[in-house]
Protein backbone atom coordinates (compact mmCIF):
# COMPACT_ATOMS: atom_id res chain seq x y z
CA UNK A 1 0.00 0.00 0.00
CA UNK A 2 1.08 3.53 -0.73
CA UNK A 3 2.01 6.03 1.93
CA UNK A 4 3.49 9.51 1.79
CA UNK A 5 4.62 10.72 5.20
CA UNK A 6 5.61 14.33 5.71
CA UNK A 7 7.76 15.89 8.39
CA UNK A 8 9.54 19.13 9.15
CA UNK A 9 6.66 21.52 9.64
CA UNK A 10 6.35 23.76 12.63
CA UNK A 11 6.42 27.30 13.91
CA UNK A 12 9.00 29.73 12.57
CA UNK A 13 9.50 33.48 12.70
CA UNK A 14 9.26 35.63 9.58
CA UNK A 15 12.52 35.44 7.67
CA UNK A 16 13.29 32.01 9.02
CA UNK A 17 13.68 28.67 7.27
CA UNK A 18 12.17 25.22 7.35
CA UNK A 19 12.92 22.05 5.43
CA UNK A 20 10.00 19.76 4.72
CA UNK A 21 10.48 16.10 3.89
CA UNK A 22 8.09 13.57 2.41
CA UNK A 23 9.03 9.92 2.45
CA UNK A 24 7.16 7.57 0.15
CA UNK A 25 6.60 3.86 0.38
CA UNK A 26 4.70 1.40 -1.76
CA UNK A 27 5.57 3.02 -5.09
CA UNK A 28 8.43 2.91 -7.54
CA UNK A 29 9.54 6.37 -6.58
CA UNK A 30 11.50 7.14 -9.72
CA UNK A 31 8.37 6.61 -11.85
CA UNK A 32 6.55 9.53 -10.23
CA UNK A 33 6.59 13.26 -10.62
CA UNK A 34 6.48 14.96 -7.25
CA UNK A 35 4.99 18.15 -5.95
CA UNK A 36 4.32 20.29 -2.94
CA UNK A 37 0.98 22.02 -2.46
CA UNK A 38 -0.36 24.18 0.30
CA UNK A 39 -3.70 25.27 1.64
CA UNK A 40 -4.09 28.34 3.81
CA UNK A 41 -7.16 29.05 5.92
CA UNK A 42 -10.04 30.13 3.71
CA UNK A 43 -8.06 29.46 0.54
CA UNK A 44 -8.00 26.79 -2.13
CA UNK A 45 -5.17 24.32 -2.27
CA UNK A 46 -2.46 25.69 -4.54
CA UNK A 47 0.62 24.37 -6.24
CA UNK A 48 3.92 25.40 -4.69
CA UNK A 49 6.52 23.47 -6.66
CA UNK A 50 6.97 20.36 -8.79
CA UNK A 51 9.88 18.18 -9.80
CA UNK A 52 9.85 15.65 -12.59
CA UNK A 53 11.59 12.32 -12.88
CA UNK A 54 14.49 13.97 -14.70
CA UNK A 55 14.87 16.70 -12.10
CA UNK A 56 13.10 19.52 -13.92
CA UNK A 57 11.53 21.93 -11.46
CA UNK A 58 8.75 24.48 -11.59
CA UNK A 59 7.71 26.98 -8.95
CA UNK A 60 4.78 29.17 -8.20
CA UNK A 61 5.64 32.84 -8.59
CA UNK A 62 5.09 33.56 -4.93
CA UNK A 63 7.92 31.23 -3.86
CA UNK A 64 10.49 31.73 -6.61
CA UNK A 65 13.86 32.57 -5.19
CA UNK A 66 12.84 31.44 -1.71
CA UNK A 67 11.86 27.77 -1.96
CA UNK A 68 13.71 24.83 -3.50
CA UNK A 69 12.25 21.43 -4.31
CA UNK A 70 14.52 18.42 -4.61
CA UNK A 71 14.28 14.65 -4.63
CA UNK A 72 16.44 11.76 -3.57
CA UNK A 73 15.27 8.64 -5.35
CA UNK A 74 17.57 6.41 -3.32
CA UNK A 75 15.79 7.56 -0.16
CA UNK A 76 12.32 7.73 -1.72
CA UNK A 77 12.08 11.27 -0.39
CA UNK A 78 11.13 14.67 -1.76
CA UNK A 79 12.15 17.85 0.03
CA UNK A 80 11.03 21.44 0.14
CA UNK A 81 13.59 23.89 1.46
CA UNK A 82 11.80 27.06 2.50
CA UNK A 83 13.80 30.21 3.16
CA UNK A 84 12.83 33.80 3.86
CA UNK A 85 9.47 32.68 5.13
CA UNK A 86 6.62 35.15 5.28
CA UNK A 87 3.44 35.13 7.35
CA UNK A 88 1.47 34.52 4.16
CA UNK A 89 3.32 31.22 3.75
CA UNK A 90 1.34 29.90 6.70
CA UNK A 91 -0.58 26.88 5.47
CA UNK A 92 -0.88 23.14 5.59
CA UNK A 93 1.68 21.76 3.16
CA UNK A 94 0.99 18.54 1.27
CA UNK A 95 3.26 16.39 -0.82
CA UNK A 96 1.95 14.73 -3.94
CA UNK A 97 3.12 11.95 -6.22
CA UNK A 98 1.79 11.46 -9.74
CA UNK A 99 2.60 8.57 -12.04
CA UNK A 100 4.49 9.62 -15.12
CA UNK A 101 3.18 6.93 -17.43
CA UNK A 102 -0.02 6.23 -15.52
CA UNK A 103 -1.19 9.70 -14.56
CA UNK A 104 -4.30 8.42 -12.83
CA UNK A 105 -2.04 7.12 -10.07
CA UNK A 106 -2.05 10.09 -7.70
CA UNK A 107 -1.19 10.01 -4.03
CA UNK A 108 -1.18 12.60 -1.27
CA UNK A 109 0.49 12.97 2.06
CA UNK A 110 -1.44 13.80 5.19
CA UNK A 111 -0.24 17.39 5.31
CA UNK A 112 2.02 19.20 7.74
CA UNK A 113 1.36 22.56 9.33
CA UNK A 114 3.71 25.46 8.69
CA UNK A 115 3.10 28.57 10.75
CA UNK A 116 5.09 31.74 10.18
CA UNK A 117 4.50 34.20 12.97
CA UNK A 118 6.33 36.52 15.30
Amino acid sequence: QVQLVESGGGLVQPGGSLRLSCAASGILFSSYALGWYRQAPGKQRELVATIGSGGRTDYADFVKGRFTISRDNAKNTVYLQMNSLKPEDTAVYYCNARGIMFEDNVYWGQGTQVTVSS
Side-chain angles (χ1 to χ4, degrees):
Q1 59 190 39
V2 178
Q3 282 193 302
L4 276 63
V5 180
E6 296 156 322
S7 61
L11 175 64
V12 65
Q13 294 185 4
S17 298
L18 286 173
R19 187 186 190 226
L20 305 183
S21 300
C22 176
S25 61
I27 62 171
L28 184 59
F29 192 75
S30 61
S31 297
Y32 285 78
L34 305 167
W36 287 95
Y37 294 72
R38 72 186 188 186
Q39 187 167 17
K43 300 291 184 66
Q44 296 293 309
R45 188 174 298 187
E46 62 185 351
L47 177 67
V48 176
T50 61
I51 184 166
S53 62
R56 177 174 292 183
T57 58
D58 287 292
Y59 297 92
D61 286 342
F62 53 80
V63 303
K64 284 183 177 177
R66 300 189 297 124
F67 292 9
T68 302
I69 187 171
S70 61
R71 65 190 293 166
D72 187 338
N73 289 348
K75 297 181 179 179
N76 287 1
T77 301
V78 59
Y79 305 95
L80 185 68
Q81 178 67 47
M82 304 186 294
N83 300 324
S84 302
L85 283 161
K86 305 173 181 179
E88 51 263 45
D89 295 319
T90 296
V92 177
Y93 284 72
Y94 300 87
C95 67
N96 162 274
R98 174 175 53 82
I100 293 170
M101 180 172 291
F102 303 102
E103 295 184 356
D104 288 343
N105 292 341
V106 179
Y107 305 99
W108 292 91
Q110 80 285 359
T112 185
Q113 178 70 46
V114 172
T115 302
V116 184
S117 176
S118 59

